[in-house]
């Protein structure tokens, strides 16, 4: 479970064409060694320092309580020490990216423990969490428990959450495959360049799609930080995301969509016309979770553009798309935009849309339903309750937290068809 | 008399560059449509106002660049230096790394006090380079966090420290939709604070500039660079030297003239009951208008239309409200050019709209926690609303 701060490359040395001395500002944590070892033997081994790892051998057994309570207290000091060291290397620490899954034990349990730790230790630093939610056909039986327990922590301690689900990523990959195989390739990237090489992904695509799926999430984070890393005529920093997209502290779940869709291994997909790119961003096929923002209520929307896109293109498309979207009454013009001059590799422009939209509600409701089905039968509960600090009330509190969140979205949805009325203004005696 | 420019935030710095570039380009225009001596006097006057001399002959802009993140100021500094024609001072820039997050409260309450000393010192240094200071020109946007919040803070400081010098703020009115979600909050907080410490607010609306680019200049893919250049052109034609009325061979000394400030009648304003409703809301009432003519035939231009009393509010005579400055030396490459600076009801609708939207958002309490986090309370918002409603009412009743 890698967790990284804003990656800033400053003054790395270059030898034989490769950048050698840059290290990721990251701490990698896993309670098993397999994945982390693979990373350290893979093509990015020079980027990560073994001093930045925290591992154990036994794993968390897909149990949130083990991750959160057992490993949490066991590794608290180590985690803090490594975080402090990483922070010391920063001139100006602005935010943490926490990347984890919700359905397992380590990412979910230890990950959310870490979240609370970050809030206490670095209260002024933003916490952006990228969370992979379990899909319907998820093979971890206890994933609903783990997810709900983790959700409570996300509700209370995260500044912004970007939910992702594997099914959507898989669907996106399948779409890309279709495009690649239909032979519509562009010529903007050299076939032998580092970007197109799929070194390490020896296995066939459909057998191990995770590399390609994860690449999509990597692109998400890349585009999220592009305006902070590169110049542009309208910059947007990470702290601006939180400021503009989180109107109330609990409503901080942002649905993301990327266009054009591609993975680093398939950069040759032709760039769609600019306006089409905007339309695609609002289509449910491009969302990174199963959601349809177009038919739900927007609280706020951010559009982050890269490449040769100017303010007139932006305005034209906002005007064009606005009529088909519903915004909450107090935020009818709830758009936050940014223009970064540097396009992503192999494309002339790209768009990342972040939506604070009630379309996340179904995901949460489904999660709650799956939880209730398990919990009613008390299935597997003993694995959790036998951990010190865990009681039935922990589960009840977690469900109640989620129910509260769902209710907030319900109330907002209820305002959808109501006419927009202006509040009476202050009357002044001149 | 010199003007010290303070450029704040991404917008302020991007615009500031274009303004200095436009001023420099114009002052070095070889065909001024006037005598060589005339041209030289013009150049010298412009130079004194906006540039100071550096050792190797490259003029240095009298400007202080402020931003809470380094990318834009770095770009601005290098763009100017690369041009080889003029540049910014080596030590005229103050920047930090973390930005203001589009948060007015952060710009005003956190960055302001934290960096007050450094910023005011930089400004002081620039002021000391001037033989005689005419005033300050502060360029900032209203929608973001640095320009708006820190800009308001700095203006307040300038008011305290240099109370005898004029402070004019160039504020950028954001597009009606689609820049920053909290732009209406940031705008009302900025305006209410500036009202208390600035002498004049020169407003440019992004929507209006955009229309100019689209309709008058036929630019297909409009960039912020295009918009800023239009703005800089307008400002240049206002700020470049003009003749003073008395002597036709001296350039007007104070460009931030008090000629276009409002002097209300000594007997006080008329009571509300006489509000001229019959004129309808479409008619734009002015308190003061300034026309600046440059180039050929300036002396024979007919300005009668501007002296019509129908343009002005009932308690003003046109002679008190209308001013004209004329200069033979042409601006940029234009044989004839005219600029109008107006204090009128022009901004009433945009202001009313912004206040309305901010009020609706405030009524639902959306985003308020982001401001209270840094010390701007609901009361501060209410104070701002109250002040601005008064401004709206005052303009409405012209």
């Amino acid at each position: 479970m890698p967790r990284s701060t804003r990656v800033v490359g400053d003054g790395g040395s270059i030898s034989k064409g490769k950048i050698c001395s840059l290290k990721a500002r990251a701490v990698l944590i896993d309670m098993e060694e397999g994945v982390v070892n693979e990373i350290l033997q893979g093509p990015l081994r020079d980027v990560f320092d073994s001093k930045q790892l925290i591992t154990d051998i036994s794993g968390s057994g897909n149990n949130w309580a083990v991750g959160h309570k057992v490993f949490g207290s066991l590794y608290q000091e180590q985690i803090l020490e490594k975080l402090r060291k990483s922070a010391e290397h920063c001139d100006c620490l602005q935010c943490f990216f926490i990347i984890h899954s919700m359905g397992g034990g380590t990412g979910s349990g230890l990950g959310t423990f870490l979240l609370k730790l970050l809030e206490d230790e670095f209260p002024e630093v933003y916490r952006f969490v990228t969370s992979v939610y379990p899909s319907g056909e998820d093979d971890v039986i206890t994933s609903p428990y783990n997810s709900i327990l983790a959700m409570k922590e996300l509700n209370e301690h995260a500044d912004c959450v970007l939910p992702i689900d594997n099914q959507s990523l898989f669907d996106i990959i399948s779409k890309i495959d279709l495009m690649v195989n239909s032979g519509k390739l562009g010529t903007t990237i050299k076939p032998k360049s580092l970007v197109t090489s799929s070194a390490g992904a020896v296995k066939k695509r459909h057998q191990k799609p995770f590399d390609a799926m994860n690449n999509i999430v990597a692109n998400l984070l890349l585009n999220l930080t592009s305006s902070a890393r590169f110049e542009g005529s309208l910059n947007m920093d990470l702290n601006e995301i939180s400021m503009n997209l989180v109107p109330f502290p609990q409503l901080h779940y942002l649905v993301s969509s990327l266009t054009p869709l591609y993975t680093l291994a398939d950069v040759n997909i032709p760039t769609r016309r600019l306006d089409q790119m905007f339309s695609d961003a609002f289509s449910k096929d491009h969302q990174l979770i199963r959601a349809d923002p177009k038919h739900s209520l927007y609280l706020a929307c951010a559009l982050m553009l890269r490449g040769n896109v100017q303010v007139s293109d932006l305005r034209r498309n906002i005007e064009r798309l606005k009529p088909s979207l519903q915004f909450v009454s107090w935020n009818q013009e709830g758009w936050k935009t940014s223009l970064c001059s540097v396009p992503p590799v192999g494309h002339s422009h790209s768009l990342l849309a972040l939506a604070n939209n009630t379309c996340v509600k179904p995901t949460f409701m489904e999660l709650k339903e799956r939880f209730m089905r398990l919990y009613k039968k008390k299935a597997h509960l003993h694995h959790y309750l036998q951990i010190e600090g865990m009681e039935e009330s922990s589960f009840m509190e977690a469900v109640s937290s989620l129910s509260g969140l769902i209710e907030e979205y319900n109330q907002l949805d209820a305002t959808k068809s109501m006419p927009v009325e202006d509040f009476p203004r202050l009357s002044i005696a001149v | 008399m010199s003007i010290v420019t303070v450029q704040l935030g991404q917008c302020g710095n991007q615009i500031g560059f274009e303004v200095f570039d436009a001023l420099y380009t114009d002052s070095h225009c070889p065909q001024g449509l006037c005598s060589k001596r005339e041209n030289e006097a013009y150049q010298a006057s412009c130079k004194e106002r906006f540039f100071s001399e550096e050792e190797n002959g490259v003029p240095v802009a009298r400007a202080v660049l402020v931003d809470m993140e380094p990318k834009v100021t770095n770009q601005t500094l290098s763009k100017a230096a690369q041009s080889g024609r003029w540049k910014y001072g080596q030590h005229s820039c103050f920047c930090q790394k973390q930005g203001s997050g589009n948060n007015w409260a952060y710009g005003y309450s956190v960055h302001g006090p934290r960096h007050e000393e450094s910023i005011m010192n930089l400004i002081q240094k620039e002021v000391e380079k001037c033989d005689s200071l005419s005033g300050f020109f502060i360029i900032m946007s209203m929608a973001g966090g640095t320009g708006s919040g820190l800009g308001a803070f700095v203006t307040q400081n300038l008011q305290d420290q240099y109370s005898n010098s004029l402070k004019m703020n160039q504020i950028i009115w954001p597009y009606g939709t689609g820049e920053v979600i909290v732009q209406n909050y940031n705008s009302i907080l900025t305006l209410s604070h500036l009202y208390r410490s600035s002498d004049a607010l020169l407003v440019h609306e992004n929507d209006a500039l955009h229309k100019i680019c689209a309709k008058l200049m036929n630019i297909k893919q409009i960039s912020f660079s295009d918009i800023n250049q239009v703005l800089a052109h307008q400002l240049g034609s206002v700020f470049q030297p003009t003749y003073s009325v008395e002597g036709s061979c001296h350039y007007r000394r104070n460009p931030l003239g008090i000629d276009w400030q409002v002097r209300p009648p000594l007997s006080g304003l008329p009571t509300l009951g006489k509000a001229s409703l019959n004129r309808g809301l479409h008619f734009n009432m002015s308190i003061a208008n300034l026309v600046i003519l440059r180039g050929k035939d300036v002396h024979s231009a007919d300005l009668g239309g501007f002296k019509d009393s129908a343009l002005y509010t009932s308690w003003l005579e046109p002679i008190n409200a209308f001013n004209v400055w004329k200069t033979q030396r042409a601006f940029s490459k234009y044989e004839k050019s005219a600029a109008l600076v107006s204090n009128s009801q022009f901004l009433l609708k945009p202001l009313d709209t912004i206040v309305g939207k901010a009020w609706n958002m405030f009524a639902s309490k959306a985003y308020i926690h982001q401001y209270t986090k840094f010390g701007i309370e609901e009361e501060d918002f209410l104070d701002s609303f109250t002040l601005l409603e008064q401004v709206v009412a005052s303009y409405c009743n012209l």
Side-chain angles (χ1 to χ4, degrees):
Chain A
M1 184 203 80
R3 197 247 333 120
S4 65
T5 59
R6 183 165 159 188
V7 176
V8 172
D10 39 6
S13 67
I14 305 184
S15 130
K16 295 190 198 137
K18 279 165 116 188
I19 300 179
C20 300
S21 63
L22 285 186
K23 295 279 176 217
R25 296 187 197 275
V27 176
L28 285 70
I29 306 179
D30 200 358
M31 296 296 98
E32 300 175 316
E33 294 178 320
V35 178
V36 172
N37 281 341
E38 221 183 287
I39 295 177
L40 290 180
Q41 283 156 18
L44 289 177
R45 58 178 165 275
D46 292 326
V47 174
F48 295 104
D49 202 314
S50 56
K51 294 197 285 271
Q52 299 163 302
L53 311 177
I54 298 179
T55 55
D56 199 299
I57 337 176
S58 45
S60 303
N62 284 329
N63 185 329
W64 183 93
V66 172
H68 197 95
K69 308 271 184 189
V70 177
F71 285 124
S73 57
L74 193 59
Y75 286 103
Q76 178 166 335
E77 277 317 310
Q78 262 196 60
I79 293 176
L80 274 176
E81 194 206 307
K82 298 204 193 260
L83 286 175
R84 284 191 197 122
K85 273 246 168 60
S86 282
E88 274 162 31
H89 282 141
C90 301
D91 282 336
C92 178
L93 178 57
Q94 186 185 57
C95 106
F96 289 113
F97 281 161
I98 295 106
I99 308 174
H100 72 151
S101 72
M102 299 285 279
T106 300
S108 179
L110 187 54
T112 48
F113 176 82
L114 174 67
L115 193 57
K116 210 163 22 187
L117 212 62
L118 290 174
E119 188 178 35
D120 292 335
E121 188 73 10
F122 304 92
E124 312 204 325
V125 181
Y126 287 91
R127 295 170 295 285
F128 272 74
V129 189
T130 306
S131 307
V132 182
Y133 279 70
S135 310
E137 309 80 36
D138 176 49
D139 55 0
V140 175
I141 306 180
T142 49
S143 67
Y145 286 161
N146 297 329
S147 303
I148 302 274
L149 290 163
M151 272 292 284
K152 174 165 179 291
E153 308 297 315
L154 291 186
N155 279 343
E156 292 172 17
H157 306 295
D159 286 309
C160 253
V161 178
L162 302 165
I164 314 271
D165 85 58
N166 277 336
Q167 188 59 49
S168 302
L169 292 179
F170 186 77
D171 289 341
I172 289 175
I173 296 297
S174 310
K175 248 184 85 163
I176 296 175
D177 267 349
L178 224 67
M179 285 167 75
V180 171
N181 293 330
S182 67
K184 294 203 188 91
L185 297 176
T187 50
T188 43
I189 275 282
K190 293 199 280 260
K192 288 271 195 304
S193 73
L194 190 61
V195 166
T196 48
S197 86
S198 9
V202 175
K203 305 179 185 143
K204 281 225 194 81
R205 175 65 61 79
H206 48 270
Q207 281 176 352
K208 192 189 181 192
F210 289 115
D211 279 352
M213 287 159 66
N214 293 341
N215 198 237
I216 304 267
V217 183
N219 276 323
L220 163 67
L221 293 175
L222 212 65
N223 287 337
L224 194 66
T225 56
S226 60
S227 192
R229 293 179 290 121
F230 297 118
E231 48 161 49
S233 61
L234 191 58
N235 294 337
M236 176 148 118
D237 224 338
L238 293 161
N239 49 10
E240 294 174 31
I241 294 180
S242 169
M243 175 69 183
N244 284 285
L245 296 176
V246 182
F248 298 99
Q250 335 78 285
L251 301 175
H252 56 243
Y253 293 86
L254 307 177
V255 177
S256 47
S257 70
L258 282 173
T259 56
L261 288 175
Y262 63 95
T263 67
L264 273 189
D266 294 313
V267 196
N268 291 325
I269 298 189
T271 306
R272 307 275 213 113
R273 258 174 47 236
L274 198 57
D275 286 12
Q276 182 62 48
M277 189 173 75
F278 277 90
S279 303
D280 286 345
F282 291 91
S283 129
K284 62 176 163 52
D285 293 336
H286 284 248
Q287 311 299 323
L288 270 61
I289 67 164
R290 284 225 301 260
D292 190 8
K294 242 179 151 162
H295 296 104
S296 308
L297 186 68
Y298 273 91
L299 282 81
C301 185
L303 298 174
M304 303 179 70
L305 286 135
R306 296 183 67 171
N308 183 18
V309 186
Q310 299 303 341
V311 66
S312 54
D313 302 313
L314 189 50
R315 303 197 56 70
R316 179 179 69 248
N317 280 287
I318 290 181
E319 292 305 308
R320 186 172 64 85
L321 293 165
K322 218 164 49 146
S324 57
L325 304 169
Q326 272 201 293
F327 274 80
V328 73
S329 65
W330 40 260
N331 210 0
Q332 293 273 290
E333 278 94 20
W335 298 92
K336 163 71 181 158
T337 56
S338 79
L339 298 166
C340 171
S341 322
V342 180
V345 176
H347 289 261
S348 61
H349 41 251
S350 76
L351 167 60
L352 163 64
L354 293 175
N356 190 340
N357 187 304
T358 57
C359 66
V360 274
K361 199 177 63 173
T363 303
F364 297 155
M365 286 171 68
E366 246 179 63
L367 209 54
K368 185 176 163 193
E369 256 170 67
R370 285 163 57 199
F371 173 92
M372 294 312 290
R373 263 182 267 144
L374 273 183
Y375 191 69
K376 274 205 201 110
K377 297 183 283 192
K378 306 270 188 243
H380 303 281
L381 216 49
H382 58 284
H383 291 299
Y384 293 78
L385 298 177
Q386 74 192 10
I387 305 289
E388 182 170 338
M390 284 298 289
E391 288 159 19
E392 287 215 27
S393 57
S394 323
F395 284 86
M396 293 284 78
E397 278 165 23
V399 175
S400 141
S401 168
L402 183 59
S403 300
L405 184 65
I406 293 176
E407 186 48 33
E408 297 264 359
Y409 284 112
N410 277 335
Q411 283 182 4
L412 284 164
D413 271 336
T415 66
K416 246 199 315 193
S417 36
M418 280 165 36
V420 178
E421 270 171 22
D422 285 334
F423 278 87
R425 298 264 290 270
L426 292 175
S427 45
I428 303 292
V430 174
Chain B
M1 289 195 73
S2 310
I3 299 176
V4 170
T5 301
V6 183
Q7 309 177 178
L8 290 139
Q10 169 163 34
C11 179
N13 280 293
Q14 285 178 183
I15 289 178
F17 170 80
E18 298 292 353
V19 172
F20 279 105
D21 209 45
L23 291 170
Y24 182 89
T25 308
D26 169 54
S27 76
H28 279 71
C29 224
Q31 317 116 312
L33 282 187
C34 55
S35 68
K36 184 159 174 243
R37 217 191 70 175
E38 178 85 41
N39 211 15
E40 279 170 8
Y42 183 85
Q43 262 188 31
S45 179
C46 166
K47 258 284 270 298
E48 197 213 335
R49 256 178 214 193
F50 298 106
F51 297 91
S52 60
E53 193 74 54
E54 174 97 331
E55 286 103 58
N56 42 10
V58 179
V60 176
R62 296 188 192 276
V64 174
L65 295 78
V66 179
D67 203 356
M68 293 299 105
E69 60 108 350
K71 292 197 298 292
V72 182
T73 46
N74 284 344
Q75 254 191 308
T76 309
L77 287 169
S78 63
K79 263 210 298 196
Q82 273 166 20
S83 74
R85 302 173 302 145
W86 64 274
K87 61 184 190 187
Y88 285 103
Q90 251 182 330
H91 304 288
S92 314
C93 177
F94 178 81
C95 70
Q96 293 293 285
K97 297 224 180 177
Q98 71 202 115
S100 302
N102 284 168
N103 192 327
W104 192 94
Y106 202 80
Y108 185 83
S109 309
V110 178
H111 283 311
R114 202 181 276 176
H115 307 299
E116 184 176 348
E117 211 180 306
S118 312
I119 297 176
M120 295 314 286
N121 275 344
L122 272 189
I123 296 180
Q124 173 77 12
K125 281 220 184 73
E126 205 52 55
V127 170
E128 281 163 13
K129 285 196 224 156
C130 304
D131 281 335
S132 111
L133 178 68
S134 148
F136 298 95
F137 185 53
I138 303 133
I139 313 180
M140 52 195 263
S141 71
M142 294 203 302
T146 299
S148 67
L150 184 57
F153 184 86
V154 168
T155 306
Q156 220 165 281
N157 267 41
L158 289 174
Q159 168 74 340
D160 295 334
Q161 215 173 314
Y162 301 92
S163 48
N164 290 325
S165 305
L166 279 166
K167 289 156 294 300
M168 180 183 296
N169 292 66
Q170 163 66 59
I171 55 181
I172 300 303
W173 207 269
Y175 284 102
T177 97
E179 273 189 50
V180 171
I181 293 180
V182 291
Q183 64 189 42
N184 298 315
Y185 280 168
N186 292 339
S187 298
I188 58 134
L189 289 165
T190 303
L191 286 170
S192 64
H193 279 75
L194 285 183
Y195 247 86
R196 300 173 199 143
S197 43
S198 171
D199 294 306
L201 304 178
L202 194 55
V203 178
H204 275 93
E205 299 169 75
N206 271 349
D207 276 306
L209 291 167
H210 193 106
K211 252 200 236 164
I212 292 176
C213 288
K215 305 248 159 82
L216 295 181
M217 296 170 71
N218 277 316
I219 303 178
K220 291 285 179 256
Q221 201 189 22
I222 302 168
S223 65
F224 273 114
S225 183
D226 296 319
I227 288 183
N228 293 343
Q229 280 170 11
V230 170
L231 208 170
H233 182 94
Q234 287 189 355
L235 284 180
S237 67
V238 170
F239 282 135
Q240 285 292 51
T242 53
Y243 287 136
S244 48
V245 168
E246 314 83 47
S248 56
C249 33
H250 291 297
Y251 280 104
R252 176 177 297 273
R253 310 218 74 226
N254 191 355
L256 303 176
I258 52 173
D259 301 63
W260 25 309
Q261 304 257 342
V262 181
R263 287 181 221 96
L266 293 164
S267 50
L269 295 170
T271 51
L272 280 187
K274 298 215 202 107
S276 29
L277 293 162
N278 50 344
R279 297 220 217 195
L281 290 163
H282 329 289
F283 202 90
N284 187 37
M285 282 291 143
S286 300
I287 304 178
N289 283 315
L290 169 65
V291 168
I292 302 170
L293 297 173
R294 299 178 189 272
K296 220 166 116 186
D297 302 331
V298 284
H299 295 294
S300 49
D302 173 20
L303 295 157
F306 288 99
K307 298 184 187 149
D308 188 346
S309 60
L311 283 176
Y312 301 96
T313 182
S314 54
W315 44 268
L316 270 180
E317 291 297 315
I319 194 139
N320 291 326
F322 176 67
N323 259 290
V324 58
W325 295 350
K326 298 180 185 175
T327 297
Q328 237 178 321
R329 204 276 193 182
F331 179 69
S332 216
K333 35 193 165 78
Y334 299 96
E335 195 180 78
K336 296 188 195 174
S337 65
L340 168 66
V341 186
S342 179
N343 186 343
S344 68
Q345 290 177 324
F346 230 19
L347 275 174
L348 187 50
K349 191 148 173 291
L351 180 59
D352 191 58
T353 306
I354 281 196
V355 173
K357 288 192 192 161
W359 184 245
N360 276 336
M361 201 182 258
F362 182 68
S364 354
K365 301 277 175 276
Y367 298 102
I368 299 295
H369 71 286
Q370 308 271 16
Y371 292 85
T372 54
K373 219 178 0 178
F374 299 111
I376 297 296
E377 304 297 332
E378 286 190 24
E379 235 176 66
D380 298 304
F381 276 90
L382 282 172
D383 286 343
S384 299
F385 280 116
T386 310
L387 196 153
L388 290 177
E389 294 283 10
Q390 281 172 341
V391 173
V392 169
S394 304
Y395 269 98
C396 227
N397 289 318
L398 283 182

